[in-house]
């Protein structure tokens, strides 16, 4: 008989917390910002929560001439600032014991030979048993070289029964051709099962909760289609500018930096069919199906479905800020977009005719990311005492960040003799409901990679399907007349032209 008691963790819907097998994480690009601000603080917090295995080690691999001690000190300095729990000196001491550094350029076989020796030593001295997780945290130009060198040094396979996996940071390619070429390089050396393409949005609690909300509850899914949904708005608004990343951003722009990865992930999780199980391939199969059902934009129609913007000088949170073209590392006549709004249609039975409206930008008035499902209005309005404009359609908004939660808006009678109607909300807030701080996205993703769970990572066909939608947009933009950049003031909600994507005059972008 199956166990249906509430103490059965499966029945209660809980994931058993597991600790990975002993292993070594090798970070390429270990002197960089991502390692210092995100990766090492995330590993430290996993250690603090006793989720790392005994004998866990980190090997940094980078070009700069650093010693092991200098490496540890440099990581500690930033971890003090960026670890969500601060730093406990004793705990850091034992965590840092397993850290070492190899100085080499990424194309130097001698560096990989030294790495092979170091990994064997760690297997013996710290019991890592041949389990290795490589992390590519370098500029993307170096990915192929590192992968080839790992293959040539025999490091793509573990000795004995150990496992070898590789995490690859975004951006994964800059168009469909380069993404395919990179996938081919990767598959020359690693099997797809070994590859973990990271998109840190999938590590956010609120993003994982999209699937739980949709598929662990019975009441929402029947409404989740073209019969009840008018349109979907996905917003990822940032107040920050370039944060010193001008050199990278100039060649990326908002489309490659945010839309191709983070916004497309939010879209697929919102639109996908229920998977046949919560398993990596079952979930990813459904995400790929959504991407393949999105109507591609022929380059000549791109201007009807997309709007680009670039910020000029303005004021954000009371501070005067320079325009994009005045930022360090940016050309004075740059045509890079810092804002994108676009409209997709998903040509399947669930979503036919429902616009998915996406927008993202830097230097907007507020940091806020959300997915809003706007439902159709009631078919007939019975209450006509107040102005019709007081009656707003129902909206279910999933707030990804900050102020994480879910809000349902509906109309309600204002107390009194008149039939006056006003929208009100039902709110769920993570903080109030659970009272615990959510882990950082990188904590969950690093742990999952060590556990061998790739559900929250992007598969090769998924990344190519996403680029096959984005690349024609870039081609369309290249054919169009250049937009009048800068076309929005820093601290405003982007170019006015974005309103034309909404389709019907009574639709509007949400005021957030
Ligand atoms: C990164 C982008 O992937 O995501 C940045 O490169 C952006 O430009 C960042 O600022 C946003 O992430 P988050 O977690 O702060 O929303």
């Amino acid at each position: 008989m199956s166990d249906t008691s509430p103490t059965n963790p499966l029945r209660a819907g809980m994931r058993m917390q597991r600790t990975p097998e002993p292993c070594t994480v090798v970070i390429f690009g270990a002197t960089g910002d991502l390692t210092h601000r995100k990766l090492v603080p995330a590993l430290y917090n996993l250690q603090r929560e006793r989720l790392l295995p005994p004998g866990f080690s980190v090997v940094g691999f980078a070009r700069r001439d650093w010693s092991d001690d200098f490496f540890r000190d440099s990581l500690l300095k930033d971890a003090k600032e960026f670890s969500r729990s601060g730093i406990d000196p004793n705990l850091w001491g034992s965590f840092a014991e397993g850290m070492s550094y190899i100085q080499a350029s990424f194309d130097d076989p001698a560096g990989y030979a030294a790495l092979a020796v170091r990994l064997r030593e760690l297997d013996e001295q710290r019991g890592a048993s041949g389990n290795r997780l490589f992390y590519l945290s370098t500029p993307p130009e170096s990915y192929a070289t590192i992968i080839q060198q790992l293959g040539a040094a025999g490091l793509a396979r573990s000795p004995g029964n150990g496992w070898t996996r590789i995490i690859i940071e975004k951006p994964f390619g800059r168009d469909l051709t380069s993404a395919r070429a990179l996938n081919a390089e990767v598959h020359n050396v690693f099997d797809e099962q070994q590859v973990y393409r990271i998109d840190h949005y999938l590590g956010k609690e609120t993003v994982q909760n999209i699937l739980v909300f949709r598929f662990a509850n019975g009441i929402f899914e029947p409404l989740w289609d073209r019969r009840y949904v008018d349109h979907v708005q996905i917003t990822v608004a940032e107040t920050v500018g370039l944060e010193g990343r001008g050199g990278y951003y100039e060649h990326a722009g908002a489309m490659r930096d945010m839309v191709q990865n983070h916004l497309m992930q939010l879209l697929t999780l919102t639109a996908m069919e229920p998977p046949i199980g919560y398993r990596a391939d079952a979930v990813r199969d459904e995400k790929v199906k959504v991407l393949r059902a999105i109507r591609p934009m022929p380059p000549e129609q791109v201007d009807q479905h997309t709007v680009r913007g670039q910020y000029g000088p303005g004021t954000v949170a009371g501070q005067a800020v320079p325009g994009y073209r005045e930022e360090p590392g940016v050309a004075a006549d740059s045509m890079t977009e810092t804002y994108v709004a676009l409209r997709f249609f998903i040509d399947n039975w669930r979503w036919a005719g429902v616009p998915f409206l996406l927008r993202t930008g830097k230097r907007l008035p507020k940091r806020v990311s959300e997915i809003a499902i706007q439902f159709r209005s009631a078919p007939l309005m019975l209450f006509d005492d107040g102005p019709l404009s007081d009656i707003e359609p129902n909206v279910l908004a999933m707030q990804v960040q900050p102020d994480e939660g879910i809000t349902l808006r509906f109309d309600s009678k204002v107390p009194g003799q008149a039939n006056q109607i006003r929208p009100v909300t039902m709110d769920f807030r993570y903080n109030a409901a659970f009272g615990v701080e959510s882990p950082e996205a990188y904590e969950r993703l690093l742990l999952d990679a060590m556990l061998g769970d790739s559900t929250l990572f992007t598969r090769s066909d998924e990344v190519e399907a996403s680029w096959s939608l984005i690349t024609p947009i870039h081609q369309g933009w290249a054919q169009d007349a250049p937009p009048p950049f800068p076309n929005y003031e820093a601290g405003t909600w982007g170019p006015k032209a974005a309103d034309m994507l909404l389709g019907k005059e009574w639709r509007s972008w949400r005021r957030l």
Side-chain angles (χ1 to χ4, degrees):
M1 214 172 81
S2 66
D3 179 0
T4 54
S5 73
T7 48
N8 174 347
L10 293 176
R11 174 80 188 150
M14 294 185 323
R15 180 177 124 126
M16 297 294 285
Q17 199 67 68
R18 290 192 291 149
T19 310
E21 295 166 300
C23 61
T24 303
V25 173
V26 180
I27 305 179
F28 292 92
T31 54
D33 258 9
L34 184 73
T35 307
H36 282 68
R37 290 173 182 221
K38 296 285 184 191
L39 304 184
V40 168
L43 291 170
Y44 170 80
N45 279 299
L46 289 173
Q47 168 95 334
R48 190 180 65 101
E49 299 200 351
R50 299 176 200 280
L51 292 170
L52 291 185
F56 171 80
S57 316
V58 175
V59 180
F61 188 116
R63 287 169 285 215
R64 287 190 211 170
D65 188 12
W66 286 10
S67 66
D68 288 349
D69 281 341
F70 191 88
F71 179 54
R72 291 188 201 109
D73 291 347
S74 161
L75 294 174
L76 173 59
K77 192 165 119 302
D78 277 352
K80 283 182 180 158
E81 188 180 342
F82 294 104
S83 157
R84 69 182 165 93
S85 64
I87 293 291
D88 169 341
N90 288 331
L91 189 60
W92 176 269
S94 60
F95 175 64
E97 264 173 31
M99 284 181 179
S100 59
Y101 183 78
I102 290 178
Q103 188 255 321
S105 74
F106 297 135
D107 57 1
D108 178 5
Y112 296 81
L115 177 61
V117 171
R118 178 75 51 84
L119 288 171
R120 275 200 299 278
E121 283 165 10
L122 291 170
D123 286 345
E124 280 161 26
Q125 291 160 12
R126 294 178 64 85
S129 316
N131 297 327
R132 286 124 196 216
L133 177 61
F134 298 121
Y135 198 120
L136 302 193
S137 167
T138 63
E141 305 78 73
S142 302
Y143 293 169
T145 308
I146 297 171
I147 290 165
Q148 286 157 8
Q149 292 286 347
L150 285 171
L155 286 170
R157 301 279 177 275
S158 289
N161 293 326
W163 48 257
T164 296
R165 301 182 185 129
I166 183 162
I167 300 184
I168 305 178
E169 259 298 332
K170 66 162 268 254
F172 195 92
R174 52 177 289 106
D175 55 18
L176 180 58
T177 310
S178 55
R180 279 189 179 142
L182 183 54
N183 269 333
E185 290 284 0
V186 171
H187 292 150
N188 276 338
V189 176
F190 293 97
D191 298 333
E192 178 63 23
Q193 287 74 10
Q194 295 178 279
V195 183
Y196 292 68
R197 294 174 196 77
I198 203 163
D199 181 318
H200 80 280
Y201 266 54
L202 290 176
K204 292 182 191 272
E205 285 286 338
T206 41
V207 174
Q208 292 162 45
N209 196 38
I210 298 171
L211 291 190
V212 175
F213 180 78
R214 290 188 56 198
F215 302 132
N217 295 295
I219 63 171
F220 303 111
E221 203 47 29
L223 305 177
W224 213 264
D225 65 27
R226 60 182 298 279
R227 284 172 298 173
Y228 299 99
V229 176
D230 179 78
H231 71 276
V232 176
Q233 291 189 18
I234 300 179
T235 302
V236 178
E238 299 189 279
T239 50
V240 291
L242 286 195
E243 301 178 292
R245 297 158 75 222
Y248 151 77
Y249 197 88
E250 266 287 82
H251 301 286
M255 188 64 119
R256 292 189 173 92
D257 187 48
M258 300 294 288
V259 179
Q260 183 273 328
N261 34 69
H262 307 328
L263 277 87
M264 294 309 273
Q265 290 293 347
L266 298 180
L267 184 154
T268 50
L269 294 174
T270 305
M272 68 189 255
E273 296 300 317
I276 57 170
Y278 193 68
R279 293 188 300 277
D281 276 336
V283 170
R284 298 187 299 180
D285 286 346
E286 297 305 332
K287 289 167 68 190
V288 172
K289 278 201 236 164
V290 174
L291 294 170
R292 296 206 176 127
I294 293 178
R295 193 184 304 164
M297 278 180 221
E300 60 283 2
Q301 284 177 18
V302 161
D303 59 343
Q304 294 162 33
H305 298 285
T306 68
V307 170
R308 326 171 241 177
Q310 186 194 76
Y311 62 85
T315 307
V316 179
Q319 297 271 326
V321 297
Y324 177 73
R325 290 177 176 182
E326 284 86 61
E327 299 262 17
V330 173
D333 56 354
S334 170
M335 291 308 291
T336 300
E337 81 285 354
T338 60
Y339 174 98
V340 176
L342 59 82
R343 176 175 56 205
F344 277 133
F345 287 98
I346 305 176
D347 287 338
N348 62 16
W349 274 48
R350 186 189 280 266
W351 295 117
V354 178
F356 278 71
L357 301 160
L358 278 51
R359 61 177 167 162
T360 183
K362 294 211 182 276
R363 290 288 191 220
L364 299 184
K366 200 171 165 192
R367 175 171 183 254
V368 54
S369 301
E370 65 148 48
I371 300 159
I373 315 292
Q374 180 152 330
F375 291 92
R376 289 175 187 268
S377 302
L380 180 72
M381 208 28 80
L382 300 178
F383 314 100
D384 54 5
D385 285 12
L388 215 56
S389 58
D390 284 358
I391 300 184
E392 295 191 16
N394 301 131
V395 174
L396 182 97
M398 296 183 275
Q399 282 102 14
V400 174
Q401 63 189 18
D403 199 17
E404 292 85 355
I406 298 179
T407 301
L408 179 65
R409 184 178 78 189
F410 54 98
D411 291 292
S412 178
K413 182 175 177 312
V414 179
Q417 303 309 334
N419 265 346
Q420 211 194 331
I421 295 176
R422 235 188 26 218
V424 293
T425 57
M426 276 195 312
D427 284 307
F428 149 68
R429 298 283 124 217
Y430 277 78
N431 278 350
F434 298 113
V436 290
E437 197 194 354
S438 296
E440 283 275 333
Y442 278 99
E443 294 173 36
R444 170 65 190 259
L445 296 174
L446 281 161
L447 186 63
D448 277 5
M450 287 185 243
L451 288 167
D453 182 350
S454 53
T455 311
L456 300 177
F457 294 84
T458 315
R459 211 168 53 188
S460 59
D461 51 350
E462 190 179 346
V463 81
E464 290 182 17
S466 171
W467 277 119
S468 67
L469 295 163
I470 301 301
T471 297
I473 301 181
H474 279 120
Q475 288 164 349
W477 284 352
Q479 286 167 19
D480 287 348
F485 282 172
N487 59 353
Y488 72 99
E489 205 177 298
T492 66
W493 279 105
K496 212 53 211 111
D499 293 348
M500 68 105 185
L501 297 176
L502 296 156
K504 297 193 174 139
E505 77 286 351
W506 45 264
R507 283 186 192 141
S508 55
W509 288 106
R510 280 165 55 76
R511 282 199 302 276
L512 298 171

